Amino acid sequence: MDLFGLLHLDELSHGLANLSMFPYFDMAHYMVSVMALREQPGALEVSRASPLACWFSSMLFCFGGAVLSGMMLAEPPVAPLSNSTSILLASVIWYLVFYCPMDLVYCCAALLPLRLVLSGMKEVTRTWKVLGGVTQAYSRYKDSLLVMIAIGWAKGAGGGLISNFEQLVRGVWKPETNELLKMSYPTKITLIGAVLFTLQQTQYLPLQKQHLMLIYTIFTVVNKSRMMLTGSSTSPFAAIESAIYKTFFAGSSPYAALTADVKKANIDNGAANRTTSTTTTKESSENEAAGKGKSGSLKAKDESENAETTSCKKTD
C-alpha cells in the first residue's frame, strides 16, 4: 500500500512478519495464560489438592488452540504436546506461578506495568496463531472460506472455546459459560481476525499479508492496553453488535406477536381475577361486619327487654 510507504511503515510490517515468537513471546503467552487460570475461582484449591489436574488445565490454557484446531483437521490432539521444549517451558512457568515461595513470581507479574507488557506480547502471538490456522486450512481446503475461518478462530481462541472441558478437569461444570453462548472479547477479536486473514488469503481483501498483520496487531495491543488501564470489559464492537442484532435478529414475527398477545391476555386476566377476588373479599367482609352489627343490636335489644321485665317483676 502507498500509505505504508508514505508513513515509512513498510519496513516495520516486514520486521513484524519476520519476528520470532520463541522464546520471549511464547513465554509471555504462557505466563498470561497460567495467571488467568490461577485467577479462576477455586483454582488455587485445586492446585493444592491435585497438582496434576492443575498442570493439565494449565496446558489446556496454553495449547488449547493447537489442540482444538488439530482435532478439527483430523490430526492427533496430542500432537501439540510433542514439542518437549514448549511443554517444559510452560510447565516451569506453571510451577513458578502456583508454587513459587512467597508468591514472588505471580505478585511481580501481576504488577500493572509488567502485566501490560506481557498482555501486549500475548496479543502479538494471537496474530501468528490466527494466521497460522488460516494458512494451515488453506493448504488443504483452498475453496472453503468457512473451514479457514473456523480453523483460524480455533487456533487463536481455542483456550476459551474448550473452557467447559478445561473446567471439567478441575471438577467444575458451568455450561452457561460456554463461549458460543456469550462470547468474551478475546473470542470476538479472534473471530474477526480469522475472517480478515481468510479474505486476505483468498485475495478478496486487497491488502498485503504483512500490512494486515501490522494493522491487526496494533489494534489488538492498543485496545487490550486501553481495557486494562481503564478497567473496562466492554467490547469496542458493542454498538455495532447491538445494531446488527436489532436489525437482523430482533425482528417481530407472527409467532412472536401471538406470544406477546397471549402473554398480555394472561396478564389482563390475572389482573381481572385479582380485582374480582379483592372485590369479593371486600363484600364478604362488609356483609360479615353488617351481620355482626345486626346481631349485636338484636342482642342489645333482648338484654334491654330482659332488664325491663326483671324491673317490672321486682316492682310487683
Side-chain angles (χ1 to χ4, degrees):
M1 291 180 65
D2 295 336
L3 180 61
F4 281 83
L6 291 175
L7 297 177
H8 304 286
L9 296 176
D10 200 44
E11 293 183 2
L12 178 61
S13 62
H14 280 91
L16 182 65
N18 297 324
L19 188 64
S20 175
M21 295 293 102
F22 184 84
Y24 301 112
F25 288 90
D26 284 344
M27 288 176 62
H29 166 67
Y30 301 150
M31 178 66 74
V32 174
S33 299
V34 177
M35 289 176 64
L37 171 62
R38 178 186 166 122
E39 293 165 358
Q40 296 294 315
L44 277 176
E45 288 77 4
V46 173
S47 67
R48 302 306 187 260
S50 178
L52 180 60
C54 181
W55 174 83
F56 190 66
S57 294
S58 299
M59 296 304 104
L60 289 178
F61 262 78
C62 295
F63 304 100
V67 172
L68 181 59
S69 61
M71 293 175 62
M72 294 174 66
L73 291 173
E75 295 179 352
V78 296
L81 306 179
S82 61
N83 190 335
S84 302
T85 305
S86 298
I87 293 296
L88 180 60
L89 183 59
S91 299
V92 169
I93 291 176
W94 159 78
Y95 183 84
L96 293 176
V97 169
F98 277 95
Y99 303 104
C100 180
M102 301 177 64
D103 267 349
L104 289 177
V105 173
Y106 175 77
C107 292
C108 292
L111 295 174
L112 183 59
L114 184 55
R115 190 155 192 170
L116 276 173
V117 175
L118 294 174
S119 299
M121 295 174 70
K122 176 179 169 60
E123 293 303 316
V124 174
T125 65
R126 187 186 306 279
T127 303
W128 265 255
K129 292 178 185 297
V130 175
L131 178 60
V134 171
T135 305
Q136 186 179 8
Y138 180 76
S139 63
R140 300 188 182 186
Y141 306 96
K142 290 182 172 59
D143 299 326
S144 180
L145 296 178
L146 181 60
V147 173
M148 287 185 275
I149 293 172
I151 300 301
W153 188 29
K155 196 155 189 175
L161 294 174
I162 63 172
S163 59
N164 289 115
F165 176 70
E166 181 276 324
Q167 291 170 358
L168 282 177
V169 175
R170 293 186 284 116
V172 179
W173 175 240
K174 293 182 179 179
E176 67 275 5
T177 61
N178 191 329
E179 284 287 337
L180 295 179
L181 294 177
K182 188 176 181 180
M183 289 189 190
S184 60
Y185 166 75
T187 305
K188 293 177 182 178
I189 195 65
T190 305
L191 177 59
I192 293 174
V195 172
L196 292 176
F197 282 110
T198 297
L199 294 177
Q200 190 280 328
Q201 187 73 38
T202 53
Q203 306 300 320
Y204 288 108
L205 184 63
L207 197 65
Q208 295 185 30
K209 182 182 296 184
Q210 65 270 14
H211 295 163
L212 179 58
M213 292 174 65
L214 179 62
I215 295 172
Y216 181 76
T217 302
I218 291 176
F219 176 81
T220 55
V221 172
V222 170
N223 198 59
K224 182 66 175 180
S225 302
R226 178 193 63 81
M227 294 174 67
M228 294 182 64
L229 290 173
T230 59
S232 172
S233 59
T234 305
S235 171
F237 313 108
I240 301 175
E241 293 172 9
S242 178
I244 293 175
Y245 174 78
K246 291 179 180 179
T247 304
F248 297 103
F249 303 105
S252 60
S253 64
Y255 175 75
L258 178 61
T259 305
D261 292 341
V262 171
K263 288 183 178 179
K264 184 177 180 180
N266 290 336
I267 294 173
D268 294 340
N269 290 336
N273 291 336
R274 286 194 296 271
T275 303
T276 304
S277 176
T278 304
T279 305
T280 305
T281 304
K282 186 175 180 181
E283 291 177 354
S284 300
S285 300
E286 292 176 352
N287 293 335
E288 184 177 356
K292 288 182 178 179
K294 186 175 182 181
S295 61
S297 300
L298 293 174
K299 185 176 181 180
K301 185 177 181 181
D302 291 340
E303 290 178 354
S304 177
E305 290 177 353
N306 291 336
E308 292 177 357
T309 303
T310 303
S311 176
C312 293
K313 286 182 179 180
K314 287 182 179 181
T315 304
D316 294 340

